[in-house]
């Protein structure tokens, strides 16, 4: 269980995250809201990329507020960037082995790649570099998180920079993860297709938590446009 207690984050005198308190249990949780609302910042605070100005972050009752991203990863938190990192000189199998923290057989690697819709024969020995498309890199990054089997998996706007076909395929991957996960999936997104899969939706605006509830409670208000913009069509994100 992840707990945020009175979390604040200020940069150059500007409050980006304002006194957010929330508890995230197991399940699929979507965090949404207008651009500039603090969603990605909150994800990076949870992952340990940023350190909060004040407040606490607890993981299963342990204070991890001042732990580094590496220490949090060891505790069971995974983070997928909006723009996946390229690893020149490393193959897809190399990355899956590193993610799993143990030697990964070709058969295991193939099974994981198939879960994200990639043909293992074509990808297992591919170098993770600029020859891969944005959609391919996203899937490989998700495959790494599946290989890690962490308690908390964070995806920061996974739809950013990919084509519609890839996005539809990725959404199926998240649905499959949701069905089998024994932990927490946190996805930062504006996309109705993703929000419609979530168990719970958290809405941020201007750095504040303005709504938090089940999909059935929160999504109708979002679709009415009474709280924050979401995208029901293409992969481009609506502006605040």
């Amino acid at each position: 269980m992840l707990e945020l207690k009175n979390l604040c984050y200020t940069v150059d005198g500007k409050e980006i995250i304002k006194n957010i308190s929330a508890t995230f249990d197991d399940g699929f949780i979507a965090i949404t809201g207008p651009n500039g609302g603090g969603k990605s910042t909150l994800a990076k605070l949870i992952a340990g990329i940023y350190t909060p100005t004040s407040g606490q972050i607890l993981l299963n009752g342990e204070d991890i507020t001042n732990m580094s991203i590496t220490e949090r990863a060891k505790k069971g938190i995974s983070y997928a960037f909006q723009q996946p990192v390229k690893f020149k000189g490393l193959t897809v199998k190399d990355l899956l082995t590193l993610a799993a923290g143990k030697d990964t057989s070709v058969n295991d690697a193939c099974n994981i790649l198939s879960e994200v819709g990639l043909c293992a024969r074509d990808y297992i020995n591919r170098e993770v570099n600029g020859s891969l498309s944005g959609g391919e890199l996203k899937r490989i990054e998700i495959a790494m998180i599946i290989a890690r089997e962490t308690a908390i998996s964070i995806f920061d706007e996974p739809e950013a920079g990919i084509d519609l076909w890839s996005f539809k395929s990725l959404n199926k991957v998240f649905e499959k993860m949701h069905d089998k996960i024994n932990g927490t999936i946190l996805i930062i997104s504006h996309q109705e297709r993703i929000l419609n899969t979530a168990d719970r939706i958290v809405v941020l605006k201007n750095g504040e938590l303005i709504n938090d509830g089940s999909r059935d409670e929160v999504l109708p208000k979002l679709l009415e446009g009474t709280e924050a913009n979401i995208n029901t069509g293409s992969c481009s994100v609506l502006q605040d």
Side-chain angles (χ1 to χ4, degrees), residues 179-209:
D179 290 340
K180 68 180 289 189
I181 191 112
N182 226 357
T184 303
I185 301 174
L186 285 174
I187 297 189
I188 312 298
S189 182
H190 292 268
Q191 287 290 338
E192 182 187 358
R193 293 184 186 93
I194 289 178
L195 301 182
N196 203 43
T197 307
D199 300 311
R200 172 181 166 192
I201 298 174
V202 176
V203 185
L204 296 187
K205 186 174 183 179
N206 297 325
E208 298 179 284
L209 195 158

Side-chain angles (χ1 to χ4, degrees), residues 33-54:
N35 283 353
K39 304 180 300 298
S40 291
T41 299
L42 183 64
K44 289 173 181 174
L45 287 168
I46 294 170
I49 297 169
Y50 297 158
T51 301
T53 306
S54 62

